[in-house]
Amino acid sequence: MAKDFSTMEDSNRSANPSVHELSDPARRVILRGALGAGAIGLIAPLAAGCASGGSPASGLGRSIGFASVPMPATASDTLSVPPGYTARALYRWGDAVGVAGAMPEFKPDASNSAADQAVQAGMHHDGMHFFPMQPGDSRRGLLVMNHEYTDDGLLHADGMANWSAEKVAKSMAAHGVSVVEIERASGGWQLVRPSRYARRITASTPMTIAGPAAGHPMLRTAADPGGTRALGTFNNCSHGVTPWGTYLACEENFAYYFEGPEQPDAHQRRWGLKKGSGFYRWHEHEQRFDARVEPNEFNRFGWVVEIDPFDPTSTPVKRTALGRAAHEGAACSQTRDGRVVVYMGEDARFEYVYKFVSRDAVKPGGAAANRELLDHGTLYVAKFEADGSGRWLPLVHGEGPLTAANGFASQGEVLVKSRQASDLLGATKMDRPEWTAVDPISREVYVTLTNNSARGAAGQPGVDAANPRASNTMGQILRWREDGDLDATRFAWTHFVLAGDAANERAEARGNVKGDTFGSPDGIWVDPRGVLWIQTDVSTSTLGKGDYARLPNNQMLACDPTQGVVRRFLVGPAGCEVTGVITTPDLRTMFVNIQHPGESPSERSDPAQPARYSRWPDGGRPRSATVVITKDDGGVIGT
């Protein structure tokens, strides 16, 4: 969600150091440079792990063979991929999901009702995964994706004029998650409609609250005095996939949906709630979004939600053991003894990077056998040390300062107030941590830090030689290796790349990119053969201007991380964010989401001119869409 820099949440007023204050000026350069003495023992296996190169998934190694896609000089309203590749839109905002007996057509004038929208694709596609119908099946499966937020100027025929309960209901129905069945037929990929798996999960769908915070007084409301049943999920950005085949939807910028009191209390301020924060105006017709009336409803969002895509009757579950945050994503991996490790970034200025390690190992038997696995384990927050080492600090009630005397009466309270707990532990403040990814070959972990224009501003952390950028408009990607297995409490870290444009006048915005220029890295994924895919989310108010003068469109790039050279694979249409990427198991089909094509600089369209900035993909009202990319010779994507 590319909010304008001036509107980004910045609620961390703790005295914790930032990663830039901790960086040693003599180190931390892309893929080179000496490491601090404390990190040498941890990082030594790094090169050997990378050099293994080959992938058991394909035997092709990490090599990249496509021709780089040029960046246009001015904003282009087309989607471009390399020669020898074909891309086409598959699943657009407003397309029927495929619920039997309820498959309304999209109306180009935006006159679909709230009831229609509840069984159509939501707006603003984001994180996504392909679940094959059978292991290894690359011709039929379920595509599950988030619908992050709405542009109400585009969603309704007359925008936000004549605001009503029906418009709120339609906006709520355009948020959440889609589950659609797709197949590859003779004419290419298509939706299977109707499908018994077809489902929309929205801001009104009943959910269970589970884990240590379930039933906590801070989660109890008048409608749910037990604090265990919530309604809906929204602002779902990135995602995760569990080893037992469920989908994790992550609730990110939820503060924008609640109207705050005139004088928020300390807890509300730490979580960005304030008077006038109800940007979507749901509170005007749905009282639970008015924190002046129901203050605890606010605490019931900011969680990771587990969904079983193969059981359309199942109730989604908010897994509180993974902590509350403005969750960007939840990248899952496993320890060698089978326990689950979940890496999570919190996308807000000066917030934190988290890791959850399950208590128990994954059991055979799929979702049914592991339905409570994410309710038990340890949540950690990262502290990046100056010598290139790092520590995972446990957010455990009763350990260190996390006691009743400091405002944490139970583990549930630690999790509801995870920001305050992380502040107290002295975790490292970061520059908007976004997606996380685990390399399946080397087991290195990556996190994108998309940007932070507040860097170096009055009262904010300053710059240093390792990241010499006041007003960090370009962002960077960090990489680390755990000390031993993924459940380790120590790690070694380095900057993988400082994003930027070497032609920029401002030295702080030049970066050290090897290959094609990019900025504001957001989406990141390492595919089964070890190729690192990077997606960008430059705000529409910034594209083509200032430090981004030569970057008028967002893009997706690929990189062999053992070489560090970045190559542009896709350029998105005007005003879009490129986000969400996954392939079929045979790596011969790639799915990519194009979010908010034609978004206006204000991030809310003029209903009188809905196609002013874009007509993608169909020549009319712009629509977020999932794109299918194949290689014309039927080969593996990226080769």
Side-chain angles (χ1 to χ4, degrees), residues 459-499:
Q460 300 285 13
V463 301
D464 57 39
N467 195 342
R469 304 192 278 189
S471 183
N472 178 16
T473 58
M474 306 305 286
Q476 61 257 15
I477 300 174
L478 266 62
R479 178 174 67 180
W480 66 86
R481 175 178 286 276
E482 302 281 11
D483 182 13
D485 208 346
L486 297 182
D487 63 340
T489 57
R490 290 187 174 272
F491 58 94
W493 70 278
T494 188
H495 279 115
F496 176 69
V497 64
L498 306 178

Side-chain angles (χ1 to χ4, degrees), residues 192-276:
V192 177
R193 294 183 294 200
S195 168
R196 69 185 185 93
Y197 300 105
R199 185 181 190 187
R200 277 299 320 285
I201 293 162
T202 74
S204 302
T205 302
M207 311 242 162
T208 297
I209 302 173
H216 189 277
M218 294 182 74
L219 299 185
R220 298 173 188 167
T221 64
D224 176 34
T228 59
R229 300 284 293 178
L231 286 179
T233 187
F234 48 82
N235 213 269
N236 306 100
C237 196
S238 183
H239 68 296
V241 181
T242 67
W244 51 93
T246 57
Y247 182 83
L248 303 179
C250 301
E251 299 175 339
E252 191 193 16
N253 294 307
F254 58 91
Y256 294 106
Y257 296 82
F258 291 86
E259 180 63 22
E262 190 77 36
Q263 297 293 331
D265 62 29
H267 171 69
Q268 292 171 330
R269 288 195 304 272
R270 183 63 187 87
W271 288 89
L273 183 64
K274 58 187 176 182
K275 179 178 173 59

Side-chain angles (χ1 to χ4, degrees), residues 176-200:
V177 177
S178 278
V179 180
V180 294
E181 185 177 355
I182 60 174
E183 65 176 354
R184 186 168 189 169
S186 58
W189 285 93
Q190 61 186 24
L191 271 71
V192 177
R193 294 183 294 200
S195 168
R196 69 185 185 93
Y197 300 105
R199 185 181 190 187
R200 277 299 320 285

Side-chain angles (χ1 to χ4, degrees), residues 321-322 331 333-344 354-361 373-381 392 394 396 482 485-489:
L322 276 66
S333 191
Q334 285 181 268
T335 60
R336 294 184 179 91
D337 63 4
R339 288 171 295 138
V340 173
V341 180
V342 186
Y343 291 98
M344 299 167 284
Y354 294 93
K355 176 173 80 170
F356 172 82
V357 181
S358 69
R359 182 190 66 189
D360 303 322
L373 191 140
L374 292 178
D375 291 337
H376 306 284
T378 303
L379 182 67
Y380 299 88
V381 65
W392 290 107
V396 176
E482 302 281 11
D485 208 346
L486 297 182
D487 63 340
T489 57

Side-chain angles (χ1 to χ4, degrees), residues 605-626:
S605 295
D606 178 356
Q609 304 179 77
R612 178 180 177 184
Y613 296 101
S614 175
R615 293 181 176 274
W616 191 88
D618 301 319
R621 186 176 292 263
R623 301 165 70 183
S624 296
T626 302

